[in-house]
Amino acid sequence: MPRPALRTAHATTLLSFALPVGVGVMFLLGWHAAVRISGSDLFPTPVEVGRGLLELARQGLLLKYVVASLFRVSWGFALAVAVGVPAGLLLGWYSRGFQAFNPMIQIFRPISPIAWIPVAILWFGVTDAAPIFLIFLASVFPITVSSIAAVQNMQPVYLRAAQNFGLSRGELFRQVILRASLPQIITGIRIALGVAWLVVVAAEMIAVNSGLGYLIIDARNAGKRYDLVVAGMVMIGVIGLVLDLLVRQLEKFDEVRWGYARR
Amino acid sequence: MMEPGNVQRSTPNVQRSNAEGASSLDVGRWTLDVERSSERAAIFIRDVSLTFPGKRLGDEIAVLDHVSARVAKGEFVCLVGPSGCGKSTLLNIVGGFLTASSGEVLVEGQPVHGPDPRRIFVFQENGVFPWLNVRDNVGFGLRGKSKEEREKTIAHYIAMVGLTGFEDAYPRELSGGMRQRVEIARALAANPDIIYMDEPFGALDFITRLKMRADLVRIWQAEKKTILFVTHDIEEAVQLADRVLIMSKRPATIQQVVEIDLARPRDLDSPRYLEKRDEIFRIMGMSLRVGETLSV
């Protein structure tokens, strides 16, 4: 096809923007029509949700709840990274350690963080520590497991090359094992952040009285304000998207870009 | 990885008892020659055997069978043989990545106890670190050197392999040939006495391979390193080497040694070149007919 490359590239960019926006608009229109046709007086239309968001923003609750949720996720997640990455690197490297701890990890891993909520309340009460603990539990396993796999799947040629250059143990760990594992560790971190964000909402519904999860359950209980319920859901979705986009930026560094599919 | 542990030291005078046929006689003569010249050798391989445990208990797969060879200082030696014959295995033993079941390897007069920065290995699968750019890869073996010295050395070897201008590029942005050049520059920058190369050009296209060989010979002439180079490509061996060690099929021995006394740069059309090439083809062809299965 003898089409000028510049125009094609331009059209592609425009299309990649127009397509998702088009789908979004269709979705909102369909939602609006469905509420009107069904005649529901509880479930809100998109416009009512927008008004609800404005109301929350004006009261200062929106920012307060978003900050509260992000605060809990940041702490639980940071703890999970601080524990999971070193633990994963060590267990990936020392096969005896892996043999010893892996069965225990595999037993704890499938237990949903939601199942831990009663235990968290028992241990930490209705404080920030309860959701932070739950977020830590939810994200530490994906991070640990992907860090273990990252070390175990490292191409042996990098290790042999490094040994050839006479690296000390510490240098080998820092300059080769960590660097070779980083792309897969970042993928694990991305998955874990998604899980952490899912869990904070669930935890806030039960264990505390602030945050987006609390907003949803409170709006329903105190007067069936479904416009605010859906407003909370929209905020959760949007912030989840932003968090994922932020972590994706990590994958663009030259130091790790080699580890992802060729683009 | 399987690493047979107990290294038996055999005395130099032990001759192989199961000698049969003409090629084994050659090996006998070669062994004597090896022993006479052990003192000035850069690499001295004596009676190295390697067996792996097989699938069933008690089974043993013999990979190397009393291999003896010598590489002089500054010499360019190619190791050729049918695929799967154990030539890479032998190079890994010499490089310290594998331990022989019996026999010994002396490098610069010392027994090999593991990889050593004075002898750098260039890997078949390319060991360039993808998380470092060209500059940092080439400088990898220069830890502990002053900044100025590092920078000077890096620039020198990047220029030598023809990658000036690509210092900030990452391996994923380079072609296979360029990545192999980075690995060669990294090896040279560490200033080793010996470079081991395990089919380093195997994954490259024909034209790139020819160019890489010419450049490697030029670099070798300038740097005066000892090079032990494994390849399955007979043409490659004749283009590069001072001597070609021909290995038999498994369990492998050094079947014959061919001196390539051709001036460099080598004319790939000259009758002498073709003669040497055909000689090696003949030797390897014979070994294929003797074997039970053809392994090409």
Side-chain angles (χ1 to χ4, degrees):
Chain A
M1 282 185 295
R3 265 202 293 174
L6 202 73
R7 225 186 86 197
T8 318
H10 211 81
T12 312
T13 330
L14 201 69
L15 207 63
S16 72
F17 181 74
L19 277 174
V21 168
V23 170
V25 169
M26 294 286 282
F27 173 77
L28 291 175
L29 287 175
W31 172 5
H32 190 87
V35 173
R36 278 295 145 85
I37 290 163
S38 71
S40 165
D41 17 301
L42 274 182
F43 198 82
T45 62
V47 180
E48 286 161 355
V49 170
R51 272 198 222 109
L53 278 170
L54 276 177
E55 184 188 326
L56 287 170
R58 247 186 261 116
Q59 291 168 342
L61 284 176
L62 190 66
L63 189 65
K64 189 186 154 201
Y65 286 164
V66 167
V67 168
S69 293
L70 284 176
F71 169 82
R72 290 170 191 133
V73 166
S74 306
W75 271 105
F77 191 70
L79 282 172
V81 171
V83 171
V85 172
L89 289 173
L90 285 170
L91 294 179
W93 183 245
Y94 295 104
S95 52
R96 288 280 173 228
F98 178 74
Q99 281 172 355
F101 285 95
N102 188 48
M104 198 54 92
I105 291 173
Q106 298 306 334
I107 287 172
F108 271 92
R109 200 165 68 115
I111 301 173
S112 162
I114 313 293
W116 282 92
I117 289 178
V119 179
I121 292 173
L122 176 70
W123 287 348
F124 301 103
V126 187
T127 64
D128 274 339
I132 288 172
F133 170 71
L134 292 169
I135 288 154
F136 169 79
L137 269 183
S139 37
V140 76
F141 289 110
I143 291 172
T144 308
V145 169
S146 71
S147 302
I148 290 172
V151 177
Q152 288 176 344
N153 297 339
M154 178 174 59
Q155 289 212 35
V157 67
Y158 302 142
L159 205 61
R160 294 169 68 206
Q163 284 169 339
N164 199 172
F165 283 100
L167 265 68
S168 71
R169 237 178 152 68
E171 287 171 327
L172 195 69
F173 226 90
R174 274 196 313 278
Q175 293 185 25
V176 179
I177 297 169
L178 180 63
R179 306 295 297 274
S181 314
L182 213 48
Q184 215 180 329
I185 291 176
I186 288 176
T187 303
I189 282 177
R190 225 186 94 204
I191 293 166
L193 189 58
V195 177
W197 190 240
L198 283 176
V199 168
V200 71
V201 173
E204 284 169 347
M205 286 185 172
I206 296 155
V208 285
N209 47 22
S210 65
L212 292 169
Y214 172 76
L215 166 70
I216 288 173
I217 211 74
D218 185 54
R220 189 223 165 264
N221 290 344
K224 293 202 172 30
R225 286 291 304 273
Y226 274 91
D227 55 338
L228 300 185
V229 169
V230 179
M233 290 167 68
V234 168
M235 284 314 293
I236 289 161
V238 170
I239 291 169
L241 175 72
V242 171
L243 287 177
D244 194 59
L245 286 176
L246 285 176
V247 184
R248 266 176 195 272
Q249 296 308 307
L250 290 178
E251 296 179 353
K252 294 198 174 140
F253 285 102
D254 275 319
E255 286 80 359
V256 296
R257 237 173 102 177
W258 59 273
Y260 307 107
R262 316 254 175 277
R263 265 163 271 175
Chain B
M1 204 174 287
M2 291 167 283
E3 288 189 39
N6 55 330
V7 179
Q8 297 163 8
R9 303 241 182 268
S10 58
T11 55
N13 296 330
V14 170
Q15 283 285 319
R16 294 182 55 214
S17 55
N18 61 339
E20 47 182 11
S23 67
S24 296
L25 281 176
D26 285 345
V27 172
R29 256 190 286 128
W30 173 236
T31 310
L32 282 174
D33 183 32
V34 162
E35 276 149 21
R36 270 202 302 275
S37 51
S38 65
E39 286 128 44
R40 58 192 162 84
I43 304 166
F44 181 52
I45 302 166
R46 181 165 56 199
D47 264 335
V48 164
S49 296
L50 183 76
T51 49
F52 284 142
K55 275 180 189 154
R56 275 175 301 179
L57 201 70
D59 267 11
E60 280 197 331
I61 301 164
V63 181
L64 300 172
D65 180 22
H66 296 274
V67 175
S68 292
R70 180 189 66 84
V71 179
K73 277 198 178 70
E75 201 180 12
F76 198 137
V77 171
C78 280
L79 199 54
V80 300
S83 52
C85 76
K87 49 193 190 300
S88 282
T89 308
L90 180 61
L91 193 67
N92 273 287
I93 291 172
V94 175
F97 291 107
L98 272 177
T99 309
S101 310
S102 68
E104 72 174 340
V105 178
L106 300 178
V107 175
E108 311 279 348
Q110 300 294 313
V112 172
H113 289 302
D116 188 313
R118 289 170 298 175
R119 300 124 204 181
I120 298 296
F121 213 102
V122 174
F123 300 94
Q124 185 176 8
E125 59 269 53
N126 194 276
V128 162
F129 300 123
W131 54 86
L132 297 177
N133 62 22
V134 170
R135 179 184 292 109
D136 293 338
N137 260 297
V138 174
F140 192 81
L142 298 171
R143 290 157 300 119
K145 295 266 166 34
S146 74
K147 194 161 180 280
E148 300 91 78
E149 202 186 334
R150 255 179 75 96
E151 276 168 10
K152 226 180 89 190
T153 312
I154 291 170
H156 175 73
Y157 286 106
I158 287 180
M160 183 173 274
V161 299
L163 286 177
T164 306
F166 291 93
E167 289 85 352
D168 294 316
Y170 280 82
R172 67 183 165 81
E173 300 164 321
L174 303 176
S175 69
M178 289 161 96
R179 277 201 296 274
Q180 214 51 268
R181 285 169 189 277
V182 175
E183 185 157 353
I184 291 168
R186 183 177 73 180
L188 290 167
N191 194 26
D193 305 318
I194 305 173
I195 300 178
Y196 302 125
M197 306 184 94
D198 187 4
E199 301 201 30
F201 309 146
L204 307 179
D205 65 84
F206 181 73
I207 302 288
T208 310
R209 239 163 28 219
L210 278 182
K211 179 95 175 62
M212 296 289 289
R213 286 173 201 158
D215 283 352
L216 181 62
V217 168
R218 171 179 59 79
I219 290 166
W220 169 72
Q221 285 173 325
E223 294 280 304
K224 302 185 170 60
K225 307 285 185 198
T226 308
I227 298 183
L228 182 54
F229 188 108
V230 162
T231 179
H232 62 267
D233 185 334
I234 292 164
E235 298 258 4
E236 182 163 78
V238 180
Q239 285 165 30
L240 292 173
D242 292 326
R243 283 189 302 135
V244 179
L245 313 183
I246 304 165
M247 289 178 82
S248 65
K249 64 185 285 295
R250 228 163 58 186
T253 56
I254 303 286
Q255 189 182 5
Q256 206 160 322
V257 180
V258 176
E259 301 259 350
I260 314 289
D261 46 356
L262 300 172
R264 294 183 174 93
R266 285 175 181 166
D267 176 2
L268 309 189
D269 282 329
S270 79
R272 295 273 295 126
Y273 171 85
L274 297 173
E275 206 177 282
K276 287 292 176 191
R277 187 196 67 182
D278 292 344
E279 184 184 346
I280 297 174
F281 267 119
R282 237 182 355 261
I283 295 163
M284 287 181 66
M286 261 163 40
S287 83
L288 287 177
R289 241 171 291 146
V290 170
E292 306 93 313
T293 49
L294 289 176
S295 55
V296 180

